[in-house]
Amino acid sequence: RILKINNEIQRELSSLIAYKLKDPRLEGVFVTVLDVDTTNELSYSRIKISVFPEEKREQTFNIIKSSIPFLRREIAKNVKLRITPELIFSLDDGINYEQRITELLKGNKKDGEKN
């Protein structure tokens, strides 16, 4: 049941962020809802998002955080739940982590070639 709820919330949030948030600062910004993890008692949903381009990451995250009341209201209307969970957003650092590892590995490879 929780998996189904997570999928519904993820689908709804993706649509809301892409089509319903009317903020000119979001022009040309792509937000992906990567993961939703809702607690069993439906009190909280932790939502992991990624933002592209990287330089608009913080600004976009702040816009989404300030839109939480709107997003929660829309979820309450469109997803049939007994309780609408509080939304907790976080930015995914997976891409940064992956890029950092790639840079480190390239550095090691170059060091190995010099020896």
Side-chain angles (χ1 to χ4, degrees), residues 9 12-13 16-17 20-23 26 43-49 59-77 84-91:
I9 292 172
E12 189 63 28
L13 280 173
L16 289 169
I17 291 169
K20 298 279 176 114
L21 286 186
K22 304 291 184 205
D23 191 309
L26 293 177
S43 48
Y44 297 100
S45 281
R46 288 178 185 79
I47 298 117
K48 192 173 283 194
I49 61 171
Q59 180 185 40
T60 302
F61 183 67
N62 290 331
I63 291 168
I64 290 173
K65 276 179 53 176
S66 68
S67 302
I68 286 176
F70 165 75
L71 295 170
R72 190 165 183 239
R73 238 183 350 264
E74 291 297 309
I75 286 174
K77 278 196 277 184
T84 303
E86 292 287 330
L87 305 178
I88 302 168
F89 284 92
S90 65
L91 284 167

Side-chain angles (χ1 to χ4, degrees), residues 47-62:
I47 298 117
K48 192 173 283 194
I49 61 171
S50 72
V51 177
F52 182 82
E54 186 70 28
E55 54 275 0
K56 297 219 177 182
R57 197 166 185 244
E58 281 301 316
Q59 180 185 40
T60 302
F61 183 67
N62 290 331

Side-chain angles (χ1 to χ4, degrees), residues 1 3 12 14 30 35 43 60 63 68 87 100 111:
R1 176 164 153 66
L3 286 175
E12 189 63 28
S14 295
F30 297 100
D35 187 43
S43 48
T60 302
I63 291 168
I68 286 176
L87 305 178
R100 179 76 181 126
D111 289 346

